[in-house]
Amino acid sequence: MQGVNSTVKAKVKYKKRHPSFASRFKSNLPLLLFVIPGAIWMIFFFYIPIFANVVAFQDFHFSAGGFLESLRTSSWVGFKNFEFLFSSNAAWVITRNTLLYNLGFIVLNLIISVFFAIVMSQLRNKRLIKVYQTSMLLPYFLSWVVISYFVYAFISPNQGLINSLLTGSGGKAISWYNAPQYWPFILLFIGTWKSIGYNSILYFASAMGVDPTLYEAAEIDGANKWQQIKHVTIPALVPLMTLMTILAIGNIFRADFGLFYQVPQNSGSLYNVTSVLDTYIFNGLTSTGDIGMSSAAALYQSFVGFVLLMISNAVVRKIDPDSALF
Amino acid sequence: MVEIKLDHIYKKYAGNDNYSVTDFNLHIKDHEFIVFVGPSGCGKSTTIRMIAGLEDITDGELKMDGKVMNEIAPKDRDIAMVFQNYALYPNMTVYDNMAFSLKIQHVNKAEIKKRVANAAEILGLEAFLDRKPAALSGGQRQRVALGRAIVREAKLFLLDEPLSNLDAKLRVSMRAQIAQLHQRLKTNMIYVTHDQVEAMTMADRIVLTKQGEIQQVGTPSQLYNQPVNQFVAGFMGSPSMNFFEGELHENRFTTLDQQLTVTVTDQKLQKLRDAGYANQKVTMGIRAEDIHTGPDLLEKMADAKVQAKVDVAELLGVETMLYVTNGYQEFVAKVNAQNTHRPDEIITLAFDMNRAHFFDSQSQVTIA
């Protein structure tokens, strides 16, 4: 009997089936259809424009034949646009501003968001938590244009609330939009205020995931509220804090255009402290119309951003492989 | 160590109409190992949490060594607690987990080291002191949780279902370890479990609760052999006690379907008659191990013989569990494995009526 079985087994050959491309395409068709709109958008607005980066190496001038014709007719200047960017003081100022503001946002966002998340996690009144969350999240959904008017209402040189208070109490009015020394603080404050609600919700969700018996164990071990936060809550938030920080470092060369353009109302006398890569590129394009120069600045931003993203991803992969982007 | 008194303790949660714990009275003596046992939702965990100070006491007084503790913070009650899910700090090593409470109390480093080393030696954790909880097995984590309690040298140990996340084999060995620990430390221990086997094997005294009320407090043997009501009789022991609804006629107990009739012993009959149950409805209870199939016992218990059909026979090694049916009544017998029985076989069983219990059919209180 055994012999018969083994003969039968030997004769039956199990063919390993690899589904063909056509059959896989067919079975995944509904999912692929879902992808199409997003893919088209990505191709037109992200992938095709990559090729237009060549203008960073050209003395670009529009000609009647359209963009492609302009590309053909514009002369090649090699790295001249970059040379100009880096030989001027602008490159240093915009790089310094972009990096320092973003570093400031990373630190402030981390500390303040975690602080508020912990405060909310200690609240027992669920309704109050919702009220706080909503009111903290509200600025996140406001447009920078709207916020720039809020700011204007406070610091308008003539009718602004702060100047009224200053003059009312015998002080001197400040021409805020011409006083660069205040703007690093104003920008850091406004930027943090806008994003704090969103970030603190992330940390709050993580804090709420902490096993409540850990607090009970700590309470029995004699830990007071602060010690419970220090030894239970904060360690539980560390992985998320690390991840958020590393991801933010990956974006450190990408400034929030709305904040730096709208809130200072593109005031020329503030450029030294408000000009960041994004606003510099935009201003360069709108004022001088030099597409080559602006593209060089944009390519510089993208390149450094890409390098930082790769580095931060490598770091994330080392710390927590599951959280890595690729 | 410490004497604990729970005096008319009540617990009611906000938004809940019913009390979770009702009129809980208990006096725990020095060095005692008390086990709170009962089905889910019986208030046993709530009670231990009230003793720990993790829940407020709605009404009544909790006293330790005569001092009212209701308003005292958990850290000032001189207790140590072991949780069901271990509650180990995931970011700390085994050493730091055990040392945490001492560090907070600013105990000096040498003393901390000594106490942790001592606890690690008792629990066999020396090799794991540098590991984090995630790198430990369930049994090791539970030992760390116990270690954390040991280093505190607390007067009272509270253990809230500490073994329920472990597999059956590990549970048996940890059970023995905890019992040994109690012998060694000579502290008071209050242990919560839903497993009556744990309660029976570990307790000096068992507190059996149901729906927030104490049913019986006593030694394992008292609860097993002299249950005060049908609930206690049914809860303690595995398999559960068999219950038969029936009536007393003269000296015989007959089930309602008239299919099963046994003679009641004179002693029990006297008690039943004295309590006014002659010719009345009663519930008879008999444990599986008090039903026999051996020929000699059948002869000896000739006036308590019952015919039944075997539904399932489970061989457990030395014994066989017989699930049998008599009329509409199903019951279980734990018999000697040497007496082999097959499903669908009609067999004769004998009830050891000296070991039978009788309960009031309405109130379920024990009569005899």
Side-chain angles (χ1 to χ4, degrees):
Chain A
M1 195 61 193
Q2 205 178 350
V4 174
N5 264 342
S6 55
T7 326
V8 172
K9 269 182 195 163
K11 279 183 181 171
V12 178
K13 275 190 180 169
Y14 292 100
K15 198 180 165 189
K16 245 190 176 174
R17 281 178 57 124
H18 281 294
S20 66
F21 176 77
S23 73
R24 275 188 294 143
F25 181 79
K26 206 173 158 190
S27 63
N28 288 325
L29 190 62
L31 298 175
L32 289 170
L33 285 174
F34 277 117
V35 171
I36 283 176
I40 290 174
W41 179 73
M42 289 278 285
I43 289 165
F44 274 89
F45 291 98
F46 284 85
Y47 288 101
I48 293 177
I50 286 178
F51 298 106
N53 273 320
V54 292
V55 299
F57 305 94
Q58 284 190 324
D59 182 14
F60 189 82
H61 289 287
F62 264 113
S63 60
F67 180 70
L68 290 175
E69 181 63 16
S70 312
L71 269 187
R72 202 181 60 78
T73 54
S74 296
S75 58
W76 293 94
V77 293
F79 285 92
K80 221 166 196 155
N81 288 328
F82 293 90
E83 266 174 42
F84 190 77
L85 176 71
F86 289 109
S87 61
S88 71
N89 190 33
W92 155 244
V93 170
I94 57 172
T95 307
R96 177 201 69 189
N97 286 351
T98 311
L99 282 176
L100 288 182
Y101 278 121
N102 275 335
L103 272 176
F105 286 134
I106 290 170
V107 174
L108 288 175
N109 261 324
L110 181 73
I111 295 169
I112 301 173
S113 306
V114 168
F115 172 78
F116 278 112
I118 290 171
V119 169
M120 281 197 288
S121 74
Q122 298 297 319
L123 292 175
R124 289 286 160 266
N125 188 330
K126 288 215 168 95
R127 188 171 290 184
L128 267 184
I129 292 174
K130 280 186 181 151
V131 170
Y132 294 147
Q133 271 183 344
T134 312
S135 47
M136 281 170 68
L137 197 58
L138 196 68
Y140 181 75
F141 293 110
L142 289 180
S143 136
W144 278 118
V145 179
V146 175
I147 290 173
S148 74
Y149 282 101
F150 281 173
V151 176
Y152 187 72
F154 277 92
I155 61 172
S156 156
N158 303 321
Q159 289 110 26
L161 187 66
I162 296 179
N163 272 359
S164 304
L165 285 174
L166 284 174
T167 50
S169 58
K172 230 175 114 188
I174 296 167
S175 178
W176 295 96
Y177 289 97
N178 291 308
Q181 69 270 31
Y182 301 115
W183 280 88
F185 305 103
I186 296 173
L187 291 171
L188 283 173
F189 175 79
I190 303 290
T192 309
W193 167 75
K194 193 174 190 285
S195 57
I196 211 78
Y198 181 80
N199 286 322
S200 66
I201 281 181
L202 293 179
Y203 290 115
F204 174 67
S206 189
M208 291 312 281
V210 177
D211 179 1
T213 53
L214 286 178
Y215 293 111
E216 291 178 347
E219 202 180 339
I220 287 176
D221 277 342
N224 57 30
K225 262 279 172 288
W226 163 240
Q227 286 165 325
Q228 287 175 37
I229 289 168
K230 189 176 154 198
H231 296 289
V232 178
T233 317
I234 292 177
L237 294 180
V238 163
L240 184 63
M241 283 154 72
T242 314
L243 185 72
M244 296 285 283
T245 307
I246 287 169
L247 289 178
I249 289 169
N251 276 327
I252 204 160
F253 244 54
R254 208 157 287 280
D256 196 331
F257 179 79
L259 170 65
F260 293 97
Y261 188 80
Q262 298 289 352
V263 178
Q265 304 202 341
N266 201 23
S267 167
S269 52
L270 301 178
Y271 274 173
N272 200 35
V273 290
T274 61
S275 198
V276 288
L277 270 160
D278 299 76
T279 55
Y280 180 80
I281 295 162
F282 184 79
N283 281 329
L285 197 62
T286 48
S287 61
T288 64
D290 190 336
I291 292 179
M293 282 270 295
S294 304
S295 297
L299 191 58
Y300 163 60
Q301 180 187 34
S302 298
F303 180 74
V304 179
F306 173 74
V307 171
L308 286 173
L309 187 75
M310 294 301 282
I311 293 170
S312 55
N313 188 64
V315 174
V316 175
R317 202 170 45 222
K318 199 133 203 182
I319 295 169
D320 179 14
D322 292 335
S323 304
L325 295 172
F326 46 85
Chain B
M1 288 267 118
V2 65
E3 221 177 65
I4 300 148
K5 214 169 173 188
L6 290 100
D7 211 359
H8 301 288
I9 299 274
Y10 286 81
K11 176 68 189 179
K12 192 178 185 181
Y13 287 101
N16 200 337
D17 290 338
N18 301 320
Y19 281 93
S20 298
V21 174
T22 310
D23 200 20
F24 202 100
N25 291 296
L26 184 67
H27 182 197
I28 301 171
K29 286 168 266 172
D30 218 2
H31 304 321
E32 248 192 325
F33 196 124
I34 294 281
V35 176
F36 289 173
V37 68
S40 297
C42 71
K44 54 191 190 298
S45 281
T46 308
T47 309
I48 204 174
R49 288 169 62 80
M50 285 193 284
I51 296 171
L54 298 172
E55 300 278 358
D56 292 332
I57 295 170
T58 310
D59 203 3
E61 275 186 347
L62 167 71
K63 289 179 186 166
M64 289 186 184
D65 283 336
K67 190 181 163 198
V68 179
M69 303 299 280
N70 290 37
E71 303 300 326
I72 305 288
K75 66 183 172 71
D76 300 322
R77 294 189 181 200
D78 202 3
I79 51 165
M81 188 156 176
V82 178
F83 294 87
Q84 181 177 353
N85 63 352
Y86 324 126
L88 300 179
Y89 309 116
N91 53 306
M92 295 183 201
T93 61
V94 169
Y95 181 93
D96 290 334
N97 260 286
M98 292 207 267
F100 182 65
S101 63
L102 303 178
K103 280 181 186 167
I104 280 188
Q105 291 164 38
H106 303 293
V107 175
N108 73 57
K109 272 189 182 168
E111 175 68 15
I112 293 177
K113 211 171 170 187
K114 197 181 101 193
R115 286 207 217 169
V116 172
N118 179 42
E121 193 215 320
I122 292 173
L123 298 163
L125 286 169
E126 293 109 318
F128 309 108
L129 288 175
D130 293 330
R131 287 204 199 166
K132 294 232 173 121
L136 299 176
S137 69
Q140 288 161 349
R141 284 182 209 179
Q142 193 51 269
R143 295 214 299 270
V144 177
L146 282 170
R148 201 165 61 176
I150 292 171
V151 295
R152 299 200 49 198
E153 296 179 354
K155 282 188 203 164
L156 173 63
F157 272 46
L158 303 170
L159 301 103
D160 189 2
E161 306 217 22
L163 306 184
S164 38
N165 285 1
L166 303 179
D167 65 59
K169 219 170 179 178
L170 204 53
R171 233 172 14 226
V172 175
S173 74
M174 283 302 292
R175 214 160 66 194
Q177 279 204 26
I178 293 174
Q180 275 175 4
L181 199 65
H182 177 243
Q183 297 284 333
R184 191 167 174 166
L185 301 176
K186 302 210 183 303
T187 51
N188 288 62
M189 284 192 180
I190 302 178
Y191 186 105
V192 165
T193 179
H194 59 264
D195 182 352
Q196 54 87 27
V197 180
E198 276 177 26
M200 290 287 286
T201 50
M202 299 167 90
D204 289 332
R205 277 195 303 157
I206 295 173
V207 179
L208 178 51
T209 54
K210 179 191 171 192
Q211 290 171 351
E213 284 181 58
I214 293 182
Q215 300 294 305
Q216 189 171 357
V217 181
T219 62
S221 156
Q222 279 171 339
L223 265 75
Y224 192 76
N225 296 314
Q226 298 146 33
V228 295
N229 60 33
Q230 199 176 325
F231 175 79
V232 177
F235 192 87
M236 302 307 290
S238 177
S240 235
M241 185 183 276
N242 300 297
F243 295 109
F244 302 86
E245 290 280 322
E247 276 178 17
L248 276 177
H249 291 291
E250 312 236 313
N251 65 341
R252 303 198 47 90
F253 171 84
T254 307
T255 52
L256 295 177
D257 63 3
Q258 311 283 323
Q259 296 289 316
L260 187 151
T261 300
V262 285
T263 305
V264 181
T265 61
D266 291 343
Q267 197 192 359
K268 297 219 180 262
L269 196 63
Q270 192 57 48
K271 276 191 186 168
L272 284 161
R273 281 183 179 153
D274 289 350
Y277 286 91
N279 301 323
Q280 296 288 318
K281 266 192 180 175
V282 288
T283 301
M284 183 181 81
I286 189 152
R287 295 202 183 274
E289 63 267 32
D290 298 326
I291 304 174
H292 307 281
T293 55
D296 49 336
L297 289 167
L298 286 177
E299 204 174 301
K300 201 173 147 195
M301 299 168 188
D303 47 4
K305 283 202 289 195
V306 172
Q307 299 270 314
K309 185 172 78 105
V310 177
D311 295 324
V312 178
E314 280 178 354
L315 179 67
L316 301 178
V318 188
E319 288 146 337
T320 299
M321 211 71 89
L322 292 177
Y323 294 84
V324 299
T325 311
N326 169 289
Y328 297 111
Q329 182 82 45
E330 291 177 347
F331 59 97
V332 192
K334 196 193 264 182
V335 301
N336 194 322
Q338 284 175 340
N339 308 320
T340 50
H341 302 286
R342 298 193 165 280
D344 291 332
E345 187 185 337
I346 305 289
I347 57 166
T348 305
L349 306 110
F351 286 9
D352 182 353
M353 292 305 287
N354 283 316
R355 309 270 306 151
H357 301 263
F358 290 91
F359 308 96
D360 184 295
S361 294
Q362 297 295 317
S363 68
Q364 303 195 333
V365 171
T366 302
I367 312 160

